Amino acid sequence: MDVMEMLPQFLRAQLAQLDGQSRGEIEELRLREGFPLAVCRRGEEWTHPPWRRRPLTEEDLYRVLETAGGGSVHTVLHQVRRGYVTAPGGLRIGICGEGAVADGDLLSFRHVTSLALRVPHFLPGVAAPLLPALTRGGELPSTLILSPPGVGKTTLLRDLIRCLSQGEGISPRRVGVADERGELGAGPLRRQLGPRTDVLENCPKAAALLMLLRGMAPQVLAADEITAPQDIQAMAEAAGCGVTLLATAHGGSWEELRLRPLYRQLLGEGIFRAFVFIGLEGGRRVYQVREGRP
């Protein structure tokens, strides 16, 4: 689904002022009450000069949520306990403002002041240059993709899944995808992940990994963003059953990983045998593959 379909008309009109290449490079839309629309592309946040005459209102932000919720703001806001919502097509929306809290839990928002719309990208072929380094001997080891937020982990993971499912650069594999947030293979994105891919979405990641393992006989299990000890436990169980794992995590270096107890545990388990680091140099993504235990 084109992200433009998930936006109200006033935002479509603003984005239409950009040339096609600039629109295709958009990674995030940033909407803040009292300020003009900004976009993130090539790792930088930028505002088109004509937009500066049009600061956004809280009503504008609610219109975005209403469109994403199919005409109902409440359809979207009831999901905010996770800190974000996912609209059809894998469009993730982060929300900030004045929270409505009960018993320490965020229930909704009284006022919305900021939205971050992360635009999903399907870039077939982006994983192809990495496959020879990752598949020496014809087999793909369990691989962890690492980068700072917004640099392209999910996009690369999505294309690796497609390559494995279609047998592009490697013999074809059955791939089970634990898509907790609906960003990897929700809606039309599922068909882009290849003919041998099974997607379990909107289910907690750890539970989804084990359900796929026991019910779908995958040869590869994939999940986006390891964030909890339960995720590591589920992956360790799957690795013990001979399944190859693909996953992503936030981090730009070994040092950053070791600073976080969760990732120290992840590295200590020895689950992953290959690591892909994604960075930015001059606005372009740079990929580095490392093998073996750190």
Side-chain angles (χ1 to χ4, degrees), residues 11 14-15 18 26-32 35-41 44-48 51-52 54 56 115-117:
L11 274 184
Q14 288 188 296
L15 292 174
L18 299 176
I26 292 175
E27 298 158 357
E28 291 186 356
L29 305 177
R30 293 281 178 163
L31 294 82
R32 301 178 178 95
F35 296 91
L37 170 68
V39 298
C40 294
R41 58 177 190 152
E44 297 184 354
E45 189 168 318
W46 172 79
T47 295
H48 193 37
W51 300 345
R52 296 170 187 168
R54 174 45 165 105
L56 301 170
L115 299 177
L117 283 68

Side-chain angles (χ1 to χ4, degrees), residues 227-247:
T227 57
Q230 302 95 294
D231 302 341
I232 297 176
Q233 293 167 9
M235 288 187 167
E237 182 172 336
C241 296
V243 176
T244 299
L245 297 167
L246 294 177

Side-chain angles (χ1 to χ4, degrees), residues 8-10 54 58-68:
Q9 182 58 41
F10 81 93
R54 174 45 165 105
E58 185 176 10
E59 180 182 356
D60 292 329
L61 273 59
Y62 273 107
R63 286 168 64 191
V64 173
L65 293 174
E66 183 177 45
T67 304

Side-chain angles (χ1 to χ4, degrees), residues 14-255:
Q14 288 188 296
L15 292 174
Q17 296 173 10
L18 299 176
D19 61 78
Q21 179 178 343
S22 296
R23 284 198 302 272
E25 293 175 345
I26 292 175
E27 298 158 357
E28 291 186 356
L29 305 177
R30 293 281 178 163
L31 294 82
R32 301 178 178 95
E33 185 269 330
F35 296 91
L37 170 68
V39 298
C40 294
R41 58 177 190 152
R42 299 182 182 180
E44 297 184 354
E45 189 168 318
W46 172 79
T47 295
H48 193 37
W51 300 345
R52 296 170 187 168
R53 300 189 296 268
R54 174 45 165 105
L56 301 170
T57 66
E58 185 176 10
E59 180 182 356
D60 292 329
L61 273 59
Y62 273 107
R63 286 168 64 191
V64 173
L65 293 174
E66 183 177 45
T67 304
S72 170
V73 172
H74 298 292
T75 298
V76 173
L77 289 182
H78 85 278
Q79 304 177 49
V80 298
R81 294 184 182 185
R82 300 180 297 183
Y84 61 87
V85 299
T86 304
L91 178 67
R92 186 167 77 170
I93 305 174
I95 306 174
C96 280
E98 181 186 351
V101 178
D103 299 323
D105 294 323
L106 177 64
L107 301 180
S108 186
F109 282 90
R110 294 189 180 92
H111 299 286
V112 175
T113 57
S114 299
L115 299 177
L117 283 68
R118 184 174 295 182
V119 180
H121 285 276
F122 179 64
L123 300 177
V126 70
L130 302 178
L131 282 173
L134 286 173
T135 59
R136 292 172 186 171
E139 294 296 327
L140 178 72
S142 290
T143 300
L144 183 65
I145 301 168
L146 301 148
S147 82
V151 179
K153 295 185 299 297
T154 303
T155 300
L156 178 59
L157 176 60
R158 193 180 290 122
D159 197 48
L160 276 173
I161 293 168
R162 181 192 64 82
C163 289
L164 290 166
S165 181
Q166 292 187 169
E168 185 176 304
I170 188 173
S171 59
R173 303 285 196 276
R174 290 188 305 276
V175 185
V177 178
D179 193 9
E180 180 174 4
R181 300 172 306 188
E183 289 187 270
L184 279 171
L189 289 175
R190 179 179 59 81
R191 295 183 181 87
Q192 296 172 342
L193 295 181
R196 297 174 181 85
T197 301
D198 303 298
V199 180
L200 181 53
E201 62 178 282
N202 296 327
C203 176
K205 194 180 298 105
L209 287 166
L210 296 178
M211 290 169 67
L212 287 162
L213 178 65
R214 294 162 184 163
M216 301 305 294
Q219 296 164 300
V220 179
L221 278 174
D224 199 16
E225 294 192 11
I226 300 170
T227 57
Q230 302 95 294
D231 302 341
I232 297 176
Q233 293 167 9
M235 288 187 167
E237 182 172 336
C241 296
V243 176
T244 299
L245 297 167
L246 294 177
T248 68
H250 290 311
S253 67
W254 297 125
E255 290 71 23

